[in-house]
Amino acid sequence: MRKYLLLAVAMLGFMITSAQVPTPDQFLGYPLGTQFTPHYRVVDYFKQVAATAKNVKFEQYGTTYEGRPLVMAIVASPENFSRLDEIRQHSLDMSNARGKATGNQPVIVWLSYNVHGNEAVSTEAAMKTLYELVNNGNAQTQEWLKNTVVVIDPCLNPDGRERYVNFYNATRAVKPNVNPYSREHNEPWPGGRPNHYYFDLNRDWAWQTQKESQQRVAKYNEWMPQVHVDFHEQDIESPYYFAPAAEPFHDAVTPWQRQLQVMIGKNNAKYFDQQGWLYFTKERFDLFYPSYGDTYPMYNGSLGMTYEQGGSGHAGVAVLKKDGDTLTLTDRIAHHFTTGMSTIEVASQNAAKIITEYDNYFVAAEKAPQGGYKAYVVKAGGNTEKLNTLAELLRKNNIAFGYGANTGSAAGFNYFTGKTETFTIDKEDMVISMYQPHSNMLRVLFEPVSHLSDSVTYDITAWALPYAYGLTSYAVKQSLTPAAGAPAMRNNTALIAQKPYAYLAQWNSLRDVKFLSALLQNDIKVRFTEAPFTVSGKDFPAGTLIITRSGNANRGDQFDQYITSQANRFKITLDAVSSGFVDKGTDFGSDKIRFIKKPNVVLLAGEGIGSLGVGEVWHFFEQQLDFPLTVVNARNMNDINWEQTDVLILTNGDYKVFGDKPATERLKDWVNNGGKLIAVEDAAAAIAGIDWGIKLKKEEEKDKEGKDKGKATTYDALKPYANRERESIKQFIPGAIYKVQLDTTHPLAFGYNGFYYTLKQDAHLYEFIENGGWNVGVLKKDSYLSGFVGADTRQQLKDGLLFGVKEMGSGSVVILADNPLFRSFWENGKLLFSNAVFLVGQ
């Protein structure tokens, strides 16, 4: 009650002096740093500042999955505030190589806070930063604003932050308990770091799979700032980190971008030195993976930087460190506030140079693009659905493209064969010229192999979109000009008049799976073929969906209208056939035409299970397929109604069930009685540890003559301590692309052309299944394509199973050694996962 009285008094005092911008302490009713502020109060403060100050614009640019507002404040000098839209538009024009650097164009500095929800100090620092920028008594900030416009996004991840803040405020002691092992310093699963669907939003800038990212990046791309800072936290023992970043830098980073981050870093260091605060630079946090809050701006002409304060979800309001010092929330706010202000200062002092270099960046990108390739061609190859999905991603990233070209053929590097070949360019093929303002981002996303200046890196090292999307593509050294816009798609409505015997749909993209999902949920009976067939001279591969009029009489006269409308909705093309008698192959009444039962699917979640993997499956079912999924806490596994469960999904994690023999036997009985278990990454490895006929492959060490080496010699074990990081990377595989050979006669591989490109993040490989199962996806010899792989791990990853099906009684176990839904951007894996859910075992 006392706290609310203080808040009321503070608000009363504020109303009396409403002409004055309130400090955060005055508005909130408590000093910043004494507790974490709920999101709605942060939003209220930003609204109040905008309503009181004459040089602040408040804007809500979106909402989260849980309905919380995504907001930002734009702060400028009075002179610049009156022409905000002109400033924004001019920055946008420069990013499209249409504008020119002018002397009165201020630098746009964008400050992003709290992308990881439990790194909760950032939002508190955002309030202090906003106040000091509008504080007329602060002569420094008023001077800096003459040459800058500052955009503040106080919380990129409100859902995750509220998860953390609610936990902490509910468990903290009256006097903060500084013991790091106390309850208030240890969050329950899944923690506050991710968003609603447990995605890491700081890995989603380029892919924009999440609602928050889509809305934020769309707004970011309306402003195209020159400087962007992403505020973070790390472990409690680490001193503060700020740029310059660590190697590897992608070679798309320009000398000026390198220079400017050093200038800002030195200015940050000056203020930290004055206070005696510890910090480090040029270590740990690199500039390579393109979907971070620092690299995405970098590849779009800005200076992107990450700032990392020690703390995160273990710090609370105060925590005791190993050196005996107590790290407080007040300290953490001060550090983030200082670097934010220091960044604005340097941007203001170097405004003319920053604007000129920004303008030059896009002019050069359009006229003299970097890299050896001048165009990319992505073949439609009968999969316009997947090509359209790629087109959506390119549009989100301001990358221009067209279809067809000014020439009918060209020579280029074939991503799938690894050879330079001559190929034809058809009118439906996507053509992307490097001669465009955003050619650097294009090159980063498409280049077959990215140069890695240092193998010790923070994230995945390969992501080329032709592999991620599974589309035949060519990197071309000659200039190509797209000929036209997107080809028109056939409307399926015209098929209604035929009153066909059946409709046929392709099965080679996520859109086909969405179509199937909609039909199953509306009680439409759908079948698929296990063998190819030919009708009216057209070939249909295994996996083709068959929707017969027979068996769907409940739709009556609306059957044709419903099927074609759903196909149009998902932008897929149907074929209509007048008979179940085929020219070649199996007729529609054959036992090779399999009925698809609508599956009841359960996903395990909870302590010990990786939240990222759980979130990827959860998001896939709810937001992409719109298909029912039951998420069950692992501790409640015994409560599952197994008779009504068709599919159980285990994502990456540690499952106690495999250490409990009776529970394991119950699970095995369920599989034997017709259940389907899909095990991904470490869950598959756990199954290999029990006697279910699946075994991890272990590489035996050999000498030069091929004989077992046995124990290492004494000298082999002698390694310098200083080289420990380099020694560890021999087993390191942060994320590399491998070519997987597929058995396309098995339903797990339907829709593929004999191979699949997997993102390998560990050394797990399985022995071939010899009896009672199928080796559907395997590595043969050296299937490595791109990305860093340690020497020991690379030697191990050959001649083994990655994707397979072990038949057990009437059921099956699907082994997915790699995660086909990784961060939801590995588009080509979504069909593989869907095959496991909907087709395998039918």
Side-chain angles (χ1 to χ4, degrees):
M1 180 63 71
R2 182 174 178 270
K3 180 170 68 174
Y4 293 109
L5 288 173
L6 287 173
L7 179 60
V9 170
M11 290 300 296
L12 179 63
F14 162 67
M15 287 186 286
I16 293 171
T17 59
S18 59
Q20 183 179 352
V21 176
T23 68
D25 295 6
Q26 291 170 336
F27 183 84
L28 298 172
Y30 55 82
L32 276 183
T34 58
Q35 67 181 72
F36 288 106
T37 306
H39 182 67
Y40 80 95
R41 294 293 289 152
V42 176
V43 173
D44 287 347
Y45 180 67
F46 269 62
K47 285 181 178 178
Q48 187 59 60
V49 171
T52 309
K54 296 180 179 180
N55 61 331
V56 178
K57 179 182 179 181
F58 174 86
E59 183 176 341
Q60 179 175 339
Y61 64 83
T63 56
T64 69
Y65 283 113
E66 296 177 14
R68 295 184 176 89
L70 295 165
V71 304
M72 60 190 239
I74 304 144
V75 188
S77 67
E79 296 78 16
N80 287 331
F81 192 77
S82 64
R83 59 187 191 98
L84 270 184
D85 195 58
E86 173 194 328
I87 292 168
R88 183 196 63 79
Q89 187 60 51
H90 190 67
S91 182
L92 191 59
D93 288 343
M94 286 191 291
S95 75
N96 290 316
R98 294 198 304 265
K100 292 290 183 183
T102 61
N104 66 342
Q105 177 71 11
V107 175
I108 300 172
V109 179
W110 191 296
L111 305 179
S112 291
Y113 297 87
N114 234 139
V115 69
H116 292 146
N118 61 1
E119 298 173 8
V121 63
S122 301
T123 295
E124 309 294 329
M127 289 188 283
K128 182 175 177 62
T129 301
L130 175 63
Y131 172 74
E132 289 301 337
L133 286 174
V134 301
N135 179 9
N136 290 328
N138 189 326
Q140 277 189 322
T141 59
Q142 302 315 297
E143 183 65 26
W144 297 340
L145 285 175
K146 292 179 180 178
N147 298 318
T148 60
V149 169
V150 181
V151 180
I152 299 177
D153 186 333
C155 188
L156 279 63
N157 182 10
D159 292 350
R161 187 175 192 274
E162 285 298 274
R163 191 184 308 127
Y164 171 74
V165 169
N166 288 337
F167 152 76
Y168 186 79
N169 287 343
T171 59
R172 63 171 292 182
V174 174
K175 293 182 179 179
N177 190 323
V178 299
N179 292 314
Y181 50 81
S182 67
R183 182 177 61 159
E184 65 188 76
H185 297 299
N186 293 277
E187 300 172 82
W189 192 94
R193 179 182 173 93
N195 76 337
H196 172 77
Y197 282 107
Y198 308 158
F199 272 67
D200 185 333
L201 296 180
N202 193 41
R203 270 76 175 169
D204 196 44
W205 278 77
W207 320 130
Q208 297 167 51
T209 69
Q210 299 300 289
K211 183 179 182 180
E212 295 89 349
S213 304
Q214 293 161 6
Q215 296 168 113
R216 180 184 69 256
V217 176
K219 180 58 62 175
Y220 179 96
N221 285 336
E222 290 178 8
W223 282 84
M224 292 300 291
Q226 287 75 51
V227 176
H228 179 263
V229 181
D230 197 18
F231 290 88
H232 286 264
E233 289 189 84
Q234 53 191 323
D235 65 275
I236 60 176
E237 302 298 336
S238 292
Y240 200 96
Y241 162 82
F242 48 75
E247 292 287 349
F249 281 55
H250 196 286
D251 59 10
V253 177
T254 68
W256 164 247
Q257 288 172 320
R258 286 175 176 260
Q259 180 183 343
L260 182 55
Q261 67 166 344
V262 172
M263 292 165 59
I264 293 175
K266 288 183 175 179
N267 203 56
N268 291 342
K270 177 185 71 176
Y271 289 111
F272 272 56
D273 289 343
Q274 289 173 0
Q275 298 295 327
W277 296 335
L278 292 176
Y279 57 90
F280 68 98
T281 66
K282 302 183 288 294
E283 295 181 75
R284 193 180 304 170
F285 303 102
D286 59 65
L287 291 172
F288 196 66
Y289 173 68
S291 205
Y292 283 135
D294 52 10
T295 52
Y296 186 84
M298 277 286 200
Y299 304 149
N300 281 287
S302 178
L303 174 67
M305 295 178 293
T306 291
Y307 291 166
E308 295 267 358
Q309 164 63 46
S312 197
H314 291 293
V317 171
V319 66
L320 187 65
K321 296 168 58 183
K322 291 179 180 178
D323 62 6
D325 287 343
T326 298
L327 177 65
T328 68
L329 182 58
T330 303
D331 296 333
R332 291 149 62 198
I333 292 171
H335 299 162
H336 267 342
F337 169 74
T338 299
T339 54
M341 285 299 180
S342 168
T343 300
I344 296 168
E345 178 184 24
V346 175
S348 179
Q349 292 172 348
N350 296 274
K353 175 68 171 174
I354 292 172
I355 293 297
T356 299
E357 292 291 341
Y358 184 80
D359 183 34
N360 291 341
Y361 179 94
F362 292 101
V363 171
E366 183 177 51
K367 293 183 177 179
Q370 296 181 20
Y373 299 112
K374 303 307 176 189
Y376 298 93
V377 177
V378 185
K379 302 288 288 180
N383 202 333
T384 54
E385 294 94 342
K386 196 182 291 184
L387 193 66
N388 288 337
T389 302
L390 174 61
E392 291 172 1
L393 178 68
L394 298 183
R395 290 189 190 100
K396 290 176 182 177
N397 289 291
N398 292 327
I399 294 172
F401 60 91
Y403 296 86
N406 55 346
T407 180
S409 64
F413 173 83
N414 185 329
Y415 284 76
F416 289 1
T417 67
K419 299 176 182 178
T420 298
E421 303 169 355
T422 299
F423 64 97
T424 59
I425 303 177
D426 300 316
K427 62 181 181 180
E428 65 270 19
D429 295 339
M430 178 184 287
V431 176
I432 318 167
S433 172
M434 278 288 288
Y435 290 90
Q436 60 172 295
H438 295 275
S439 62
N440 284 318
M441 191 66 188
L442 168 60
R443 177 168 76 95
V444 170
L445 294 179
F446 267 81
E447 60 189 353
V449 179
S450 297
H451 173 67
L452 197 62
S453 61
D454 192 318
S455 49
V456 179
T457 183
Y458 199 63
D459 212 292
I460 65 172
T461 55
W463 52 79
L465 292 184
Y467 298 128
Y469 278 72
L471 289 166
T472 301
S473 303
Y474 296 87
V476 182
K477 293 187 176 181
Q478 71 185 78
S479 174
L480 295 175
T481 301
M489 178 195 154
R490 190 185 83 189
N491 191 304
N492 296 290
T493 307
L495 299 175
I496 294 176
Q498 300 180 26
K499 295 293 181 181
Y501 175 87
Y503 291 97
L504 308 180
Q506 294 186 110
W507 184 259
N508 59 11
S509 77
L510 177 61
R511 297 191 188 206
D512 304 319
V513 186
K514 292 180 177 181
F515 176 58
L516 172 64
S517 170
L519 298 186
L520 292 179
Q521 290 181 80
N522 282 275
D523 299 322
I524 298 293
K525 293 182 173 63
V526 184
R527 293 170 171 83
F528 71 95
T529 177
E530 286 191 331
F533 62 85
T534 303
V535 174
S536 301
K538 183 173 181 178
D539 295 330
F540 294 88
T544 299
L545 300 182
I546 303 170
I547 308 108
T548 59
R549 186 177 302 277
S550 173
N552 287 301
N554 60 321
R555 281 284 167 178
D557 294 339
Q558 298 300 311
F559 171 73
D560 300 277
Q561 176 64 37
Y562 178 75
I563 300 301
T564 55
S565 67
Q566 291 302 305
N568 291 337
R569 172 189 172 193
F570 296 109
K571 299 180 180 178
I572 68 170
T573 300
L574 295 175
D575 284 278
V577 294
S578 59
S579 172
F581 186 89
V582 302
D583 302 338
K584 183 180 179 181
T586 55
D587 297 328
F588 292 174
S590 167
D591 63 1
K592 291 185 173 60
I593 307 298
R594 311 295 293 178
F595 174 72
I596 302 176
K597 177 189 175 185
K598 178 185 173 183
N600 291 318
V601 186
V602 169
L603 168 68
L604 286 194
E607 292 294 340
I609 302 171
S611 62
L612 294 175
V614 169
E616 286 156 358
V617 174
W618 182 21
H619 181 268
F620 182 65
F621 275 85
E622 282 199 352
Q623 294 295 326
Q624 298 179 62
L625 300 187
D626 189 22
F627 193 85
L629 174 73
T630 301
V631 183
V632 178
N633 278 318
R635 67 174 180 269
N636 302 123
M637 187 174 176
N638 290 335
D639 299 331
I640 295 173
N641 186 331
W642 293 105
E643 291 183 358
Q644 295 182 6
T645 301
D646 301 302
V647 180
L648 176 66
I649 300 173
L650 306 182
T651 58
N652 191 40
D654 180 15
Y655 292 85
K656 293 181 180 179
V657 62
F658 297 118
D660 181 340
K661 189 171 182 180
T664 302
E665 287 302 314
R666 286 194 296 270
L667 183 60
K668 188 175 183 180
D669 288 342
W670 170 76
V671 174
N672 281 321
N673 289 325
K676 180 164 55 181
L677 175 62
I678 301 174
V680 186
E681 295 186 291
D682 280 353
I687 291 175
I690 57 180
D691 188 20
W692 284 19
I694 299 160
K695 297 180 180 179
L696 271 169
K697 182 179 174 65
K698 295 182 179 179
E699 185 70 16
E700 294 181 353
E701 292 187 287
K702 308 287 184 180
D703 61 19
K704 291 181 180 179
E705 285 74 36
K707 299 177 181 179
D708 291 343
K709 286 173 65 176
K711 275 193 171 182
T713 66
T714 304
Y715 292 157
D716 289 337
L718 299 180
K719 299 178 179 66
Y721 178 72
N723 292 348
R724 62 193 182 281
E725 189 174 46
R726 297 292 160 190
E727 285 292 329
S728 68
I729 66 172
K730 291 181 180 179
Q731 290 83 38
F732 191 41
I733 178 169
I737 298 173
Y738 275 74
K739 186 174 185 177
V740 182
Q741 303 296 323
L742 294 179
D743 173 9
T744 56
T745 67
H746 193 282
L748 185 59
F750 283 174
Y752 292 93
N753 294 319
F755 49 82
Y756 168 80
Y757 295 94
T758 190
L759 187 67
K760 201 91 188 77
Q761 294 184 276
D762 60 36
H764 287 166
L765 195 63
Y766 295 83
E767 293 184 3
F768 296 132
I769 302 171
E770 295 184 358
N771 298 300
W774 306 99
N775 302 289
V776 183
V778 301
L779 297 185
K780 295 180 179 178
K781 297 183 180 179
D782 189 356
S783 302
Y784 163 82
L785 279 177
S786 67
F788 177 77
V789 184
D792 292 350
T793 298
R794 184 164 177 176
Q795 178 65 23
Q796 183 177 342
L797 287 174
K798 60 183 180 181
D799 299 324
L801 171 74
L802 282 182
F803 309 123
V805 177
K806 175 65 177 176
E807 295 177 346
M808 295 173 58
S810 300
S812 56
V813 177
V814 181
I815 295 296
L816 302 177
D818 296 334
N819 179 9
L821 300 181
F822 180 72
R823 292 180 186 166
S824 197
F825 92 89
W826 205 260
E827 192 68 24
N828 203 31
K830 295 174 182 178
L831 184 66
L832 183 73
F833 192 83
S834 299
N835 286 343
V837 173
F838 294 104
L839 302 190
V840 171
Q842 294 283 7

